[in-house]
Amino acid sequence: MSRHIRGLLVLGLLAAILMGEITFNRDMSAKISGMSSQQKREAEAEEPTEKPAEEPTPAPTAKPQASPLPGATPQPWEKPDSTPAPTPTPKEYVLRNKEATYKKGGQTGIHYHKIKNKKIYHMVSYTTDTVRLSMSHKSSYQIYGAGSKKEKKRKDVTVSAAGVVKCRRKGRGEKRYVIVRAESLQTGQEQYIYIYFRKRLSVKGSKRITLYEKHSEQLKFDYPCKEITFTVTNKKKAKVNKKGKVSALSHGTVYVTAKVKDSRKNKVRIKVVVKTEPWIVSKKDSVYSYQDMTNDLYQLRRKYPGKTGLLSLGKSWDDRNIWCFRIGNPGASRRLVIDGAIHAREWKNSQLLMRQAEDLLRDYSQYRTRFRNVCVYLIPMANPDGVTLAQYGFESIRNKKLQKRCKKIGHARVWKNNARGVNINYNFPSGFSKKKKAKKPDYYSYPGKKSGSEKETQALMRFINRIRPSAVLNIHSTGSVIYWNFNVSGSLYQRLYNLAYKVRSFNKYRMMPKSGSTNASGGFADWLVYGKKITSITIETGSVRCPLPHSQFASIYKKNRKMFLWFMTKY
């Protein structure tokens, strides 16, 4: 080793010795300064006069920590480093579920291991949902009480090690009652939780309903609707209100979900099939017969029970019913009448009135309040024998004597009278006269031997006298005009004018001025206005000679549809 390197090592050794002495003196001075005078003298006496030789040591990498002197005792203010941390006091053992209540009693349905004279927790859930218990300590759980020992044994309700309680049996209408015991793994304390599981939501009836467009149906459940929320998959096809009423809008299939408000899984799904409603009264029939009308009347009455009624006003000479179709409350104080086909060749109006009746019934729910106080009577075919003859010829008259008479007269296609050759619309008492009319039975204008001689006339008069209607619309053909201006004055005249003016606002038909056509001449409208003081006008449909071709039907229906609806629902 070179001389130079040895010199450096000696210098390093001296520096290390010197630094150790300084540190030792500093530590001793600090300790001595904290001693009493007696302790200082004892310490100085024990200090050696000469320092022992020390082995050279390498320079320290960090400042050494002071260590207590040998034999020194800890002072009262000094805390030993090895003192253990204090044991924390356990938290109170409670159930932390916010929806739980803590009280005595109230354990409905528990017949096995009921808790008495002690407060326990109470919770309500549903058989479809799970309950997750949250205790303040880590706990173990077990089913303690139940509706019966059998229920507990077969484990209708279970609880997991994590405190999840769920029902295994959750059939329709089934409820469950259970008491869960929770035990703290920290302190051994116990708490009891009573849980009432309410039944699963179910719909009363089928989970699949079919509705026609614009129709509604009330859904019914075994829970009050105020506890349920409703949603629908497609609001363009159907809608549902807060009370569970489903309204069909357009053709298609949707699903309505009903869910109990404070539950996660307690819900039921209902399939709703919306169809386009088929018509009973066809607008395609080019010939609408008495039998077609009769069949349709029966079907309408069957389809709309409680809203409609069907009665016969009497029999015709050839033993056909003179049908009257009722819409609304038969006990209502306000009554309206619409009649058609009192002239045989005007049978297209029978189809018009029947189609209009069904049109109204399809939207009946919109006018439910109206028809509590109003009743509308339709007499779509006041002359059934004449209509049948005009449509199918003389052979359709079953009475051989009448058939022979009609054959002798001829003109079946344009036949206007009844099966006895009498014009019913000339046979009423007001203005009855044989002047300027046929003197014997014919197909067109014979008024009969005397007023009221015909069965059809008598049936109409009896009916009007019984119900005393507020207004009557008489539907005839042809001309697209309105006859209203009778030889009357005062309030009756004003009522006639107001009704005719309103009708004209819909169909744009011409209001005819006063003329010979409104003089009393034994007509049904004459008897209603002059004889009974009832508001009555005559509407002439079509624009060509009768019998009207079927091609006229669509135009007549379109022009008068809103007018008929207004008269039946607003007048």
Side-chain angles (χ1 to χ4, degrees), residues 65 119 142 153 166 299 341 352 378 424 435 482 505 510 536 548:
Q65 296 294 323
K119 280 188 175 182
Q142 71 176 101
K153 186 176 180 180
K166 62 181 179 180
Q299 287 190 59
L352 175 70
L378 287 95
I424 299 171
K435 292 181 180 180
I482 304 169
S505 70
R510 181 188 176 195
S536 179
L548 297 176

Side-chain angles (χ1 to χ4, degrees), residues 2 16 26 50 81 95 111 165 215 236 239 298 331 341 344 415 417 433 444 450 454 484 531:
S2 67
R26 187 184 297 123
E50 291 183 8
D81 296 336
L95 178 66
H111 304 291
V165 188
H215 285 241
K236 292 183 179 180
K239 61 181 180 179
Y298 279 121
W415 192 273
N417 298 349
S433 173
Y444 184 76
K450 61 179 180 179
E454 303 309 297
W484 66 277

Side-chain angles (χ1 to χ4, degrees), residues 39-58:
Q39 289 173 330
K40 287 180 182 180
R41 285 192 297 269
E42 292 176 355
E44 289 172 354
E46 293 175 357
E47 187 175 352
T49 56
E50 291 183 8
K51 296 178 182 177
E54 296 180 0
E55 293 292 328
T57 56

Side-chain angles (χ1 to χ4, degrees), residues 204-257:
K204 294 180 179 179
S206 175
K207 290 185 181 179
R208 184 186 188 277
I209 61 174
T210 300
L211 286 176
Y212 292 127
E213 292 171 339
K214 298 182 181 180
H215 285 241
S216 301
E217 184 167 327
Q218 179 66 51
L219 297 177
K220 295 181 180 180
F221 303 89
D222 55 358
Y223 275 76
C225 284
K226 64 182 179 181
E227 296 183 24
I228 303 172
T229 57
F230 299 94
T231 55
V232 64
T233 54
N234 191 332
K235 293 182 179 180
K236 292 183 179 180
K237 296 187 181 298
K239 61 181 180 179
V240 58
N241 65 12
K242 293 180 180 180
K243 295 182 179 180
K245 184 179 181 181
V246 181
S247 300
L249 302 178
S250 64
H251 182 273
T253 300
V254 298
Y255 292 89
V256 173
T257 299

Side-chain angles (χ1 to χ4, degrees), residues 384-394 396-397 406 411-412 415 418-419:
D385 292 347
V387 167
T388 304
L389 189 156
Q391 290 176 335
Y392 297 104
F394 301 119
S396 62
I397 301 301
C406 294
H411 304 284
W415 192 273
N418 68 0

Side-chain angles (χ1 to χ4, degrees), residues 410-460:
H411 304 284
R413 187 174 181 276
V414 291
W415 192 273
K416 199 172 184 179
N417 298 349
N418 68 0
R420 293 216 307 168
V422 175
N423 187 326
I424 299 171
N425 207 38
Y426 287 157
N427 192 240
F428 287 85
S430 295
F432 176 81
S433 173
K434 293 185 178 181
K435 292 181 180 180
K436 298 182 181 181
K437 296 182 178 72
K439 304 300 181 182
K440 60 182 179 179
D442 71 347
Y443 74 95
Y444 184 76
S445 65
Y446 179 58
K449 289 183 178 180
K450 61 179 180 179
S451 65
S453 62
E454 303 309 297
K455 288 185 176 182
E456 296 86 352
T457 308
Q458 294 165 12
L460 291 173

Side-chain angles (χ1 to χ4, degrees), residues 370 446 527:
R370 158 79 172 182
Y446 179 58
W527 178 71

Side-chain angles (χ1 to χ4, degrees), residues 59-272:
T61 58
K63 187 177 180 181
Q65 296 294 323
S67 57
L69 292 173
T73 57
Q75 299 302 311
W77 58 83
E78 293 180 344
K79 293 183 179 180
D81 296 336
S82 60
T83 304
T87 303
T89 304
K91 295 179 181 178
E92 185 181 4
Y93 188 48
V94 294
L95 178 66
R96 294 184 296 196
N97 295 62
K98 292 182 180 180
E99 67 273 23
T101 57
Y102 194 56
K103 62 181 180 180
K104 284 185 179 180
Q107 299 163 45
T108 302
I110 298 294
H111 304 291
Y112 179 69
H113 281 180
K114 194 170 189 176
I115 305 298
K116 298 180 180 179
N117 303 320
K118 182 179 179 180
K119 280 188 175 182
I120 68 171
Y121 290 97
H122 291 70
M123 299 179 70
V124 177
S125 185
Y126 301 90
T127 57
T128 55
D129 296 357
T130 58
V131 176
R132 186 175 293 274
L133 301 176
S134 177
M135 304 302 298
S136 58
H137 296 179
K138 191 173 182 180
S139 304
S140 63
Y141 303 93
Q142 71 176 101
I143 299 298
Y144 177 79
S148 68
K149 187 175 182 179
K150 184 178 179 181
E151 287 182 15
K152 183 178 182 296
K153 186 176 180 180
R154 70 187 180 195
K155 298 182 179 179
D156 286 359
V157 183
T158 61
V159 59
S160 71
V164 177
V165 188
K166 62 181 179 180
C167 294
R168 293 178 59 199
R169 293 171 64 93
K170 45 192 173 184
R172 180 170 179 170
E174 289 188 345
K175 305 174 184 178
R176 289 289 172 263
Y177 309 88
V178 72
I179 294 177
V180 178
R181 179 169 63 190
E183 183 177 349
S184 170
L185 298 178
Q186 184 177 348
T187 65
Q189 291 175 278
E190 293 179 344
Q191 289 288 7
Y192 293 89
I193 304 101
Y194 164 75
I195 307 175
Y196 165 39
F197 290 95
R198 299 179 70 189
K199 62 186 176 182
R200 186 185 73 189
L201 175 67
S202 59
V203 63
K204 294 180 179 179
S206 175
K207 290 185 181 179
R208 184 186 188 277
I209 61 174
T210 300
L211 286 176
Y212 292 127
E213 292 171 339
K214 298 182 181 180
H215 285 241
S216 301
E217 184 167 327
Q218 179 66 51
L219 297 177
K220 295 181 180 180
F221 303 89
D222 55 358
Y223 275 76
C225 284
K226 64 182 179 181
E227 296 183 24
I228 303 172
T229 57
F230 299 94
T231 55
V232 64
T233 54
N234 191 332
K235 293 182 179 180
K236 292 183 179 180
K237 296 187 181 298
K239 61 181 180 179
V240 58
N241 65 12
K242 293 180 180 180
K243 295 182 179 180
K245 184 179 181 181
V246 181
S247 300
L249 302 178
S250 64
H251 182 273
T253 300
V254 298
Y255 292 89
V256 173
T257 299
K259 177 182 171 296
V260 177
K261 291 180 179 178
D262 59 349
S263 170
R264 294 187 299 275
K265 297 181 180 180
N266 198 9
K267 57 188 176 182
V268 64
R269 201 179 194 206
I270 302 100
K271 184 178 182 179
V272 181

